[in-house]
Amino acid sequence: MADSLSATARTLTVDLGPRSYDILIGAGILSRLGDEARIRFRGRRLAVVTNATVAPLFLDATRRALVEAGYQVIGIVLPDGETHKNWVTLQSIFDGLIANRFERGDGLVALGGGVVGDMTGFAAACHLRGVPFLQVPTTLLAQVDSSVGGKTGINHALGKNLIGAFHQPCLVLMDIDTLATLPKRELLAGLAEVIKYGVLWDRAFFETIETHLEAVLSGDPGLMIEILHRSCAIKAEIVAQDEREQGVRALLNLGHTFGHAVEALTGYDQWLHGEAVAMGMVVAARLAVRIGLCPPDEERRMTALIGRAGLPVRLPVHPVEAYVEAMGHDKKVEAGRIRFVLPERIGRTLVRADVDLDAVRATLAACMA
Ligand code: NAD
Ligand code: GLY
């Protein structure tokens, strides 16, 4: 079956004119990476950037697929973890590229979750003022979200992803077989971003997840491919409309204003990004109810699905003012006002910059564990 990509994979295109690229989704398709890369990247050498957890699992297979297609390959292995998504780790990628004399015609491959993907993409955006890169996401979260759309970057101690660049990959190849080794907690964190697409864009998709949650959690391959496909299709549609987040792309940040505050307040090492987004979606929905934007029944239904998916629905306890201060460092602040992404109902979301901070404070207080 591996000979025929069409039999094992589904393809989507992110339509961005000269920066357009394909997303390949399937089972057992990592072995096709070299051939698929060849069609899209003519260079001679590729640096596969990964981390210490993913390298023993997939670096050999990735290297083999690329070498068989005629590439020279080096591996750059980073320490694992969100706490390493910083300048020091980024510098080590540049060290590897420069020591190996990587040129403009060479490229990078991000093999791993969103942390590796964001840092590799940023390194690719900066090295020699920009070289091509490919995304090979191996977490559910990276497959449905971070590998698509070209947002790359690192964290600052005062806030998430504050330093970065837009830099689109030339191919995204996701093999659902890589999810077999993913810890359950990480899988659930990815599911938070899947649920997010239903809430912000597609009520029918939300209902599909509601109906088939147990099958999704059991790893049903056909369903998983469908879920990746629909999630990526929604993201591709939004990114094609608004590549640099001047408008509709902001909706993808549903749950992130509160979620990023949770991550910053807890030092990036207690809660997974997807878990923080899950809590953030619940707070956003409750805030929307409080200001009369969203019917309470809709909020209850969203919160129920997030809870059924084994995700946290209560915020960790911190002073309300600490949350407000942390949210003030978010990228979504404009002219000192926090721009909240709020659901009007399941499947429809909007951005509001006029929300009374006292309503935010009251909602935060009511949402703490
Ligand atoms: P992650 O990259 O830290 O990966 C989670 C854990 O799973 C890590 O320990 C990793 O080593 C391990 N892992 C990866 N693949 C594995 C596999 N197949 N089997 C076993 N273990 C595996 O976290 P994540 O949830 O993938 O990504 C979160 C990051 O993505 C955050 O930094 C977030 O800011 C970023 N993000 C970026 C975007 C974007 O648009 N660029 C969107 C959403 C999230
Ligand atoms: N995850 C938000 C975005 O890609 O815009």
Side-chain angles (χ1 to χ4, degrees):
M1 290 294 273
D3 297 338
S4 161
L5 186 62
S6 59
T8 52
R10 299 193 65 186
T11 307
L12 280 166
T13 300
V14 185
D15 193 357
L16 290 169
R19 292 179 308 290
S20 297
Y21 53 94
D22 291 334
I23 304 170
L24 309 184
I25 305 166
I29 63 169
L30 184 58
S31 58
R32 305 276 318 183
L33 178 65
D35 294 341
E36 295 300 330
R38 263 286 158 242
I39 301 167
R40 298 156 175 99
F41 174 68
R42 292 180 195 285
R44 200 166 51 92
R45 293 194 299 172
L46 285 167
V48 179
V49 183
T50 186
N51 72 23
T53 305
V54 177
L57 299 171
F58 308 117
L59 181 55
D60 281 353
T62 303
R63 189 193 295 272
R64 204 175 316 120
L66 294 170
V67 168
E68 278 169 8
Y71 291 109
Q72 290 174 29
V73 176
I74 67 159
I76 297 177
V77 180
L78 311 177
D80 186 4
E82 184 76 40
T83 51
H84 295 287
K85 189 176 168 183
N86 58 26
W87 278 117
V88 175
T89 315
L90 187 71
Q91 176 68 38
S92 72
I93 304 179
F94 295 130
D95 291 346
L97 298 176
I98 293 166
N100 285 281
R101 298 179 192 278
F102 260 59
E103 299 167 358
R104 279 233 170 93
D106 299 326
L108 276 68
V109 177
L111 173 70
V115 170
V116 164
D118 280 12
M119 281 196 292
T120 307
F122 191 32
C126 300
H127 183 64
L128 304 177
R129 300 200 178 88
V131 294
F133 83 114
L134 290 69
Q135 287 272 15
V136 183
T138 62
T139 64
L140 180 59
L141 185 139
Q143 294 179 347
V144 297
D145 191 358
S146 62
S147 64
V148 175
K151 279 190 183 175
T152 73
I154 56 172
N155 299 328
H156 184 277
L158 290 178
K160 276 268 306 174
N161 299 333
L162 291 183
I163 302 153
F166 286 96
H167 188 54
Q168 301 292 343
C170 54
L171 169 69
V172 183
L173 182 143
M174 53 189 77
D175 185 338
I176 61 160
D177 289 355
T178 61
L179 300 178
T181 50
L182 195 65
K184 178 88 181 279
R185 185 177 171 200
E186 297 287 352
L187 193 80
L188 299 182
L191 205 52
E193 302 278 8
V194 174
I195 294 170
K196 184 190 79 175
Y197 289 119
V199 173
L200 77 92
W201 200 253
D202 186 341
R203 191 176 183 91
F205 186 45
F206 181 94
E207 287 169 352
T208 301
I209 307 160
E210 257 183 344
T211 309
H212 299 291
L213 182 66
E214 280 68 32
V216 175
L217 293 176
S218 75
D220 179 287
L223 198 52
M224 191 56 88
I225 289 176
E226 279 314 306
I227 283 196
L228 296 190
H229 187 266
R230 185 62 197 138
S231 299
C232 291
I234 293 170
K235 181 139 189 194
E237 183 184 344
I238 293 172
V239 169
Q241 284 179 37
D242 177 23
E243 183 180 4
R244 296 178 78 92
E245 201 172 301
Q246 303 299 303
V248 69
R249 186 166 180 169
L251 299 183
L252 291 171
N253 295 322
L254 174 65
H256 284 60
T257 302
F258 298 109
H260 284 171
V262 170
E263 289 182 89
L265 286 177
T266 52
Y268 299 112
D269 62 358
Q270 286 178 41
W271 296 99
L272 302 179
H273 176 69
E275 293 171 338
V277 168
M279 296 178 213
M281 279 194 286
V282 172
V283 184
R286 297 226 168 119
L287 177 59
V289 171
R290 187 174 289 270
I291 65 171
L293 187 68
C294 176
D297 282 359
E298 293 281 284
E299 178 275 313
R300 280 195 285 273
R301 201 169 155 190
M302 293 176 220
T303 304
L305 181 57
I306 293 167
R308 264 180 71 208
L311 289 159
V313 295
R314 310 282 301 168
L315 291 172
V317 178
H318 291 281
V320 164
E321 286 315 314
Y323 275 104
V324 174
E325 165 70 14
M327 289 190 303
H329 289 295
D330 200 84
K331 292 190 295 308
K332 292 168 286 298
V333 174
E334 206 172 82
R337 294 194 77 92
I338 303 174
R339 299 168 75 236
F340 290 98
V341 184
L342 300 174
E344 261 189 308
R345 59 182 171 82
I346 294 163
R348 195 177 156 76
T349 310
L350 45 73
V351 178
R352 289 276 295 263
D354 60 348
V355 180
D356 178 10
L357 268 187
D358 284 340
V360 177
R361 289 188 176 94
T363 308
L364 285 165
C367 287
M368 278 187 229

